[in-house]
């Protein structure tokens, strides 16, 4: 067994996970080289047009705290206390996410957060960030990493020191390992795509700022998250084909008519809707399945490169940040790189599979169930049980979003038990009084949380 790492680490992709990991690894004393295909965001002019934001929750916050960057990140955050559900009638109601003051999630701009993380990583003497460098893949047998300098067009190779692939869902490193037969992987594409639209700041005042807005319409939905400048980023999730679908929204007039029918109260907030709709890209959504995540001690896939998920639980970034925390802890322990990478995979695989499943399930919840009377009854009952048995019953959503000490796999497992229990209590056929029956069921089926 070797001592905790001295030496160098290569990270490919200075996105959310890569930049955070570079910082954490440098704080452990490693010399980190970070390759990123994009230009340096510190020199680029402020972003215009699309402003993409994400929901940050407790798992992600814990990672940012560990990296010591909360002072820089805090001004970027807007608390969202619940879902503001907009019905077709125009009626809107807030469904709180939790029942304690701190049980909120946070809207954060991706570009601003990424920029802070890059700034903080680059400030560290142990980190060398190389922008405009496109990774083409790894040749594990020859121990080389292949790159192209996008400024000069030059192809070059560097030694394959322990390398973390944080190059996102479309990872070039993963693809090269797949091509070499070292990993098996597949991408399960959803048959629904997404498109982002902007609610400008002067119109954003019409929407409650401290909420995640949802216009659930059964087979599809519109959501909107607040930005620090008062604007909102709205996202339409809709089937690619069929009726209605992105295919069917084939002209400005049809788009406007669709919004007028389905999202009448949102339409006035989306100026030049048809032009925005035509100009903004239609994004694909999917789940990445891949095994193994590492090749000995040479390459480890992490974050979206290993396990991209659909965005409906708002957990992809949070899970990627949690990956960084787990790897950081392993960097602090004795062991060689192969052992660390193997342990990382062993600790994270079941959890990544669990959040992938819960993220898919949450699409149905967001676009449909939030308007359902049974869903609302179960939610109210779950909150009541949490108040009565806080050490045994925590709603699944809260376990995922507010309880980083509960692994995703455990949240999925307990969530299934709780769902069954709620179903039985909701049917309410028992002979005993309700409160006693609930207490007996909770005590019998849900052992206290650790
Ligand atoms: C519509 C949508 C909404 C989402 N909402 C949420 C949310 O609310 N909450 C949440 O937690 N997650 C959300 N996610 C998921 C989140 O965006 C990802 O999980 C997160 O970005 C993963 O971080 P990452 O660092 O692994 O990958 P990325 O952030 O994708 O970073 C990859 C980096 O690698 C670089 N790169 C790529 N290829 C190469 C290459 N060949 N060579 C060099 N560099 C390369 C890229 O330029 C980029 O900087 C959402 C995703 C989508 C699509």
């Amino acid at each position: 067994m070797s001592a905790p790492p001295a030496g160098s680490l290569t990270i490919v992709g200075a996105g959310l996970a890569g930049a955070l990991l570079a910082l954490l690894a440098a704080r452990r004393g490693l010399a980190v080289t970070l390759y990123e295909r994009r230009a340096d965001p510190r020199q680029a002019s402020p972003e215009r047009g699309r402003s993409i934001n994400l929901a940050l929750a407790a798992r992600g916050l814990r990672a940012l705290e560990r990296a010591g960057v909360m002072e820089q990140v805090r001004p970027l955050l807007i608390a969202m206390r619940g879902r503001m559900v907009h019905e077709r009638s125009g009626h809107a109601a807030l469904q709180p996410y939790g029942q304690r003051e701190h049980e909120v999630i946070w809207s954060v701009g991706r570009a601003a957060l990424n920029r802070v993380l890059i700034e903080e990583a680059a400030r560290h003497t142990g980190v060398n960030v190389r922008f405009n460098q496109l990774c083409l893949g790894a040749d594990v047998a020859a121990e080389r990493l292949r790159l192209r300098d996008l400024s000069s067009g030059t192809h070059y190779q560097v030694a394959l020191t322990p390398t973390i692939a944080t190059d996102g869902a479309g990872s070039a490193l993963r693809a090269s390992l797949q091509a070499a037969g070292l990993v098996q992987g597949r991408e399960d594409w959803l048959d629904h795509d997404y498109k982002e639209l902007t609610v400008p700041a002067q119109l954003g005042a019409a929407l409650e700022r401290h909420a995640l807005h949802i216009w659930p319409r059964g087979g599809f939905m519109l959501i909107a998250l607040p930005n620090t400048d008062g604007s909102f980023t709205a996202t339409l999730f809709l089937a690619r084909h069929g009726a209605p679908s992105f295919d069917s929204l084939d002209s400005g007039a049809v788009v406007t008519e669709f919004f007028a029918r389905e999202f009448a109260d949102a339409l006035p907030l989306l100026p030049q809707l048809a032009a925005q709709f035509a100009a903004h890209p239609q994004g694909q959504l999917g789940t990445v399945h891949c095994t193994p995540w590492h090749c000995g001690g040479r390459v480890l896939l992490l974050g979206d490169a290993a396990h991209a998920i659909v965005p409906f639980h708002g957990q992809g970034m949070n899970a990627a940040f949690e990956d960084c925390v787990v790897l950081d802890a392993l960097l602090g322990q004795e062991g060689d790189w192969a052992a660390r990478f193997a342990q990382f995979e062993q600790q994270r695989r079941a959890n990544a599979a669990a959040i992938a499943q819960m993220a898919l399930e949450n699409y149905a919840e967001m676009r449909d169930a939030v308007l359902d009377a049974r869903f609302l009854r179960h939610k109210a009952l779950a909150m009541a049980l949490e108040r009565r048995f806080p050490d045994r019953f925590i709603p699944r959503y809260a376990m995922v979003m507010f309880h980083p000490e509960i692994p995703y796999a455990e949240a999925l497992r307990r969530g299934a038990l709780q769902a069954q229990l709620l179903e039985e209590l909701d049917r309410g056929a028992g002979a005993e009084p309700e409160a006693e029956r609930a207490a007996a069921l909770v005590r019998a089926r849900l052992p206290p949380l650790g």
Side-chain angles (χ1 to χ4, degrees):
M1 296 284 248
S2 59
S8 51
L9 181 68
T10 301
I11 301 178
V12 175
L16 297 170
L20 179 68
L21 186 63
L23 181 55
L24 291 168
R27 285 162 63 114
R28 295 266 179 203
L30 284 162
V32 179
T33 306
L34 182 52
Y35 294 102
E36 168 57 49
R37 72 175 170 197
R38 289 172 300 157
D40 186 344
R42 294 166 301 175
Q43 282 154 25
S45 52
E47 287 221 328
R48 291 176 57 124
R50 286 201 309 150
S51 138
I52 305 167
N53 46 24
L54 304 158
L56 175 71
R59 290 167 207 271
L61 280 177
R62 186 162 76 157
L64 295 169
E65 275 159 13
R66 185 168 181 135
V69 296
M70 275 314 290
E71 197 184 319
Q72 293 81 348
V73 170
R74 206 167 283 115
L76 310 177
L77 306 182
I78 301 172
M80 298 185 289
R81 303 191 190 289
R83 295 168 174 155
M84 184 67 79
V85 179
H86 298 255
E87 296 179 27
R88 245 198 206 90
S89 64
H91 175 260
L94 186 74
Q95 296 180 3
Y97 281 130
Q99 42 189 347
R100 299 186 183 90
E101 191 62 23
H102 68 274
E103 290 182 343
V104 301
I105 59 175
W106 304 89
S107 178
V108 62
R110 177 195 297 273
L113 177 59
N114 204 169
R115 188 181 166 128
V116 162
L117 293 175
I118 287 174
E119 273 168 6
E120 292 305 307
R123 212 189 294 284
H124 207 289
T125 49
V127 178
N128 174 16
V129 197
R130 304 213 35 219
F131 294 100
N132 297 310
Q133 307 301 313
L134 177 72
C135 178
L136 302 171
D139 184 344
V140 176
E143 303 199 347
R144 311 300 287 170
L145 188 66
R146 292 178 285 113
L147 295 130
R148 179 150 53 100
D149 184 328
L150 295 175
S151 323
S152 64
T154 315
H155 286 241
Y156 63 102
Q157 300 191 355
V158 295
L160 188 65
T161 54
T163 295
I164 314 292
T166 48
D167 53 344
S171 171
L173 265 166
R174 187 181 74 240
S176 72
L177 300 178
Q178 264 180 265
L182 296 169
V183 306
Q184 283 77 51
R186 66 170 209 282
E187 288 151 18
D188 279 350
W189 295 110
L190 211 62
D191 45 14
H192 287 212
D193 287 350
Y194 72 97
K195 189 179 286 270
E196 280 158 332
L197 303 163
T198 301
V199 175
Q202 65 273 22
L203 298 176
L207 293 173
E208 161 59 45
R209 186 170 147 81
H210 292 289
L212 188 156
H213 295 262
I214 310 185
W215 290 258
R217 295 296 180 261
F220 56 94
M221 68 178 178
L222 183 72
I223 69 168
L225 274 73
N227 297 311
T228 47
D229 65 359
S231 67
F232 281 72
T233 303
T235 310
L236 174 67
F237 295 94
L238 177 67
R240 210 171 303 132
H241 311 296
S245 69
F246 278 107
D247 279 359
S248 72
L249 300 183
D250 55 2
S251 74
V254 175
V255 169
T256 308
E257 188 271 328
F258 174 72
F259 272 72
R261 186 176 67 242
E262 301 292 347
F263 313 117
D265 56 338
L267 181 61
L269 309 179
L270 294 163
Q272 286 106 40
L273 171 65
Q276 281 201 53
F277 204 90
H280 294 183
Q282 180 178 325
Q284 266 191 295
L285 300 165
T287 307
V288 166
H289 302 273
C290 167
T291 184
W293 288 344
H294 71 107
C295 297
R298 289 294 170 207
V299 182
L300 173 70
L301 304 171
L302 182 145
D304 272 15
H307 51 69
I309 59 177
V310 295
F312 305 111
H313 218 306
Q315 280 292 312
M317 163 185 64
N318 287 282
F321 282 174
E322 196 169 67
D323 280 358
C324 297
V325 170
V326 169
L327 188 62
D328 179 50
L330 292 169
L331 293 181
Q333 293 172 15
E334 300 252 320
D336 61 21
W337 286 102
R340 278 191 198 101
F341 289 177
Q343 279 185 52
F344 172 86
E345 182 161 352
Q346 200 251 329
Q347 287 186 36
R348 292 302 284 162
R349 182 166 283 287
N351 290 314
I355 190 56
Q357 180 183 332
M358 290 188 283
L360 281 164
E361 288 171 7
N362 229 41
Y363 188 26
E365 177 170 320
M366 286 178 83
R367 70 182 195 211
D368 205 359
V370 288
L371 288 173
D372 182 62
R374 179 176 154 276
F375 170 84
L376 295 173
R377 280 198 314 275
H378 282 206
K379 188 171 157 67
L381 191 51
M383 287 204 171
L385 290 176
E386 184 185 29
R387 285 194 295 278
R388 262 184 89 195
F389 309 102
D391 61 332
R392 289 178 192 259
F393 193 111
I394 301 176
R396 187 174 93 174
Y397 183 86
M399 284 193 275
V400 170
M401 303 307 267
F402 309 135
H403 288 271
E405 76 285 4
I406 303 176
Y408 288 128
E410 183 64 2
L412 178 66
R413 194 187 68 79
R414 288 185 81 99
L417 295 174
Q418 293 180 172
Q420 172 67 29
L421 195 148
L422 291 174
E423 190 60 47
E424 289 175 34
L425 288 173
D426 190 35
R427 272 194 251 115
E432 307 134 74
E434 256 338 275
E436 280 170 39
R437 184 153 168 264
L441 282 177
V442 167
R443 292 207 181 92
R445 302 216 189 138
L446 297 169
L449 285 146

